[in-house]
């Protein structure tokens, strides 16, 4: 399983490249969604979507941590820190509003 995840995240094969393009597309759609809904009341649908997105980002984060050679080095990268902030904010959002 770990070999398959590593193949998707760091492989040179077209499937790996398309997988990473899919992650970029997911990030762009997520950003657009949150910018578009920032000024609207957060009902159950927006909260539910936020939790699903937070869970998907958590899965991505966990996969990257799992395959990392040096987890501490990965944790010090700015995009990893940004992911942690986003995950925590999405999960805690319903409890803070």
């Amino acid at each position: 399983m770990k070999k398959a995840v590593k193949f998707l995240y760091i492989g040179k094969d077209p499937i790996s490249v398309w997988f990473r393009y899919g992650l970029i597309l997911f990030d762009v759609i997520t950003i657009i969604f949150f910018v578009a809904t920032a000024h609207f009341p957060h009902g159950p649908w927006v909260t539910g979507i936020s939790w699903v997105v937070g869970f998907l980002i958590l899965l991505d984060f966990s996969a990257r941590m799992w395959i990392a050679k040096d987890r501490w080095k990965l944790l010090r990268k700015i995009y990893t820190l940004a992911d942690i902030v986003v995950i925590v904010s999405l999960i805690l959002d319903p409890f803070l509003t």
Side-chain angles (χ1 to χ4, degrees):
M1 177 80 156
K2 188 173 185 176
K3 192 175 184 179
V5 172
K6 194 177 262 192
F7 170 77
L8 288 173
Y9 277 87
I10 62 175
K12 306 271 189 244
D13 195 73
I15 292 171
S16 301
V17 173
W18 281 108
F19 173 77
R20 291 190 298 272
Y21 281 142
L23 289 176
I24 293 169
L25 180 63
F26 172 76
D27 287 343
V28 169
I29 291 170
T30 302
I31 291 167
I32 291 170
F33 172 76
F34 288 114
V35 168
T37 60
H39 299 292
F40 295 109
H42 284 206
W45 283 100
V46 173
T47 302
I49 291 170
S50 295
W51 275 34
V52 169
V53 169
F55 179 72
L56 292 173
I57 295 171
L58 179 62
L59 286 177
D60 172 55
F61 173 80
S62 300
R64 286 187 284 123
M65 288 298 291
W66 188 37
I67 65 169
K69 291 180 183 176
D70 185 353
R71 290 184 179 103
W72 289 111
K73 183 177 179 181
L74 181 64
L75 280 172
R76 290 189 301 268
K77 301 234 181 234
I78 189 72
Y79 60 84
T80 305
L81 296 173
D83 280 346
I84 292 169
V85 169
V86 168
I87 291 165
V88 170
S89 67
L90 290 175
I91 291 171
L92 292 180
D93 180 50
F95 304 109
L96 300 175
T97 55

